[in-house]
Amino acid sequence: MSLKEYRFFLKDKIRQMIDFGATDQSRGIPMPPVEKPFASDDPRIDLVAKDGWHNISSVDLLSAIQDRKSHRHFRVAPLTLEEVSFLLWTTQGVRERAGEYTFFRTVPSAGCRHAIETYLCVLNVTGLETGIYRYLPVEHQLLIVRKKDDLSEKIVAATFGQSFIGKAPVTFIWTAIPYRMEWRYHMAAHKVIALDAGHVCQNLYLASAAIGGGTCAVAAYHQESMDELLGVDGDDEFTLYLASVGKI
Ligand SMILES: Cc1cc2nc3c(=O)[nH]c(=O)nc-3n(C[C@H](O)[C@H](O)[C@H](O)COP(=O)(O)O)c2cc1C
């Protein structure tokens, strides 16, 4: 494919080419779940709810925006479960339930479809074992995906040797479940999923300031290795974007 052809992805020309009457939503196919399903007996960890946040500082929005920058050097210090709970809520949390299947979150999303899932690569969080976890926004819980000892090495290898990621106490790894967006927008789904990811990561940058932390976005990763690390199939769900967080 030529560069010129590939630029098509960034345009909204696709909207004029889609028969919106033929999308799965228009055809009456049931809406996909708002979050990736899990079994009721899957091991889960309760996160700290908003009214239990006592150590999150108030940061002036102007300063947070003005001082925002990427951080790749972190102090050797753990994040607390409270801090992780706060960061998860600010990036994907539910701010209002407006119906059985309508959840408004702390970030915008095209058509409120929210096709992004959040995984954590936990290397140093108080009270959490090293491992891969998945955020459940509706329950505000963490699902234990897998515990892994050599995770630091694995994630560095899966990000082409970006060593700071292996030293970060926690790395957010966002996947896309494209069908959640395709159900409504068909071929117009993919660009807006990428746009949605930007909002999520920007909230992480700004929220990190409230815990004395710093963030660095990461889009350079080995697709198959990251998907394997998370245990996702790479087709109906795949890695889209990452960001490491630590104390600065
Ligand atoms: C989409 C995107 C992908 C990025 N990927 C990486 C990356 O893989 N590794 C890295 O060290 N920084 C990455 N960055 C951080 C940029 O290098 C950084 O934002 C840029 O140099 C500007 O610096 P600032 O964020 O401090 O303003 C990425 C940033 C964005 C927005």
Side-chain angles (χ1 to χ4, degrees):
M1 196 188 279
S2 72
L3 273 181
K4 199 171 175 194
E5 283 172 313
Y6 201 66
R7 285 177 190 163
F8 180 83
F9 173 80
L10 287 175
K11 301 181 181 178
D12 205 27
K13 182 86 182 149
I14 194 82
R15 198 174 295 271
Q16 299 163 38
M17 299 160 70
I18 293 167
D19 176 4
F20 279 96
T23 63
D24 279 1
Q25 179 177 18
S26 300
R27 294 193 299 130
I29 292 172
M31 189 180 95
V34 296
E35 65 184 11
K36 186 176 176 178
F38 56 92
S40 58
D41 60 351
D42 279 346
R44 285 176 278 157
I45 293 158
D46 287 330
L47 289 166
V48 183
K50 208 165 16 143
D51 57 9
W53 298 342
H54 304 302
N55 300 296
I56 309 296
S57 57
S58 291
V59 175
D60 160 54
L61 183 62
L62 186 62
S63 314
I65 292 174
Q66 183 161 309
D67 297 340
R68 186 220 60 82
K69 61 179 180 179
S70 296
H71 291 274
R72 299 177 185 83
H73 297 283
F74 307 117
R75 282 197 284 122
V76 181
L79 261 61
T80 65
L81 196 61
E82 178 183 338
E83 290 167 337
V84 168
S85 304
F86 164 73
L87 295 177
L88 285 165
W89 185 83
T90 58
T91 48
Q92 275 293 273
V94 172
R95 66 168 170 81
E96 186 191 338
R97 185 174 191 158
E100 196 181 351
Y101 301 115
T102 308
F103 295 87
F104 292 110
R105 303 203 191 184
T106 52
V107 287
S109 170
C112 203
R113 301 304 312 137
H114 294 289
I116 290 172
E117 293 282 326
T118 307
Y119 292 76
L120 297 182
C121 169
V122 169
L123 296 179
N124 193 7
V125 174
T126 310
L128 292 182
E129 283 182 59
T130 301
I132 300 286
Y133 297 78
R134 174 157 61 90
Y135 181 47
L136 303 174
V138 173
E139 293 76 12
H140 193 56
Q141 288 180 324
L142 273 184
L143 186 88
I144 302 168
V145 176
R146 59 177 62 176
K147 293 177 181 159
K148 235 177 172 346
D149 290 333
D150 54 351
L151 202 51
S152 173
E153 294 79 14
K154 280 262 171 0
I155 196 162
V156 171
T159 51
F160 301 116
Q162 299 193 66
S163 56
F164 74 93
I165 301 170
K167 295 183 186 130
V170 65
T171 295
F172 284 60
I173 307 167
W174 293 293
T175 65
I177 298 189
Y179 182 66
R180 229 182 265 159
M181 195 67 86
E182 292 162 351
W183 175 75
R184 177 168 299 167
Y185 295 118
H186 195 57
M187 296 271 276
H190 311 107
K191 174 184 162 183
V192 292
I193 293 173
L195 294 176
D196 279 5
H199 309 135
V200 176
C201 191
Q202 180 70 2
N203 267 21
L204 187 63
Y205 267 91
L206 297 179
S208 295
I211 62 157
T215 302
C216 185
V218 173
Y221 60 90
H222 186 275
Q223 188 68 51
E224 291 82 0
S225 303
M226 278 310 306
D227 290 344
E228 195 187 316
L229 196 63
L230 301 181
V232 299
D233 69 6
D235 192 10
D236 293 324
E237 181 180 10
F238 47 83
T239 307
L240 183 68
Y241 201 14
L242 293 79
S244 294
V245 183
K247 292 292 175 75
I248 54 172

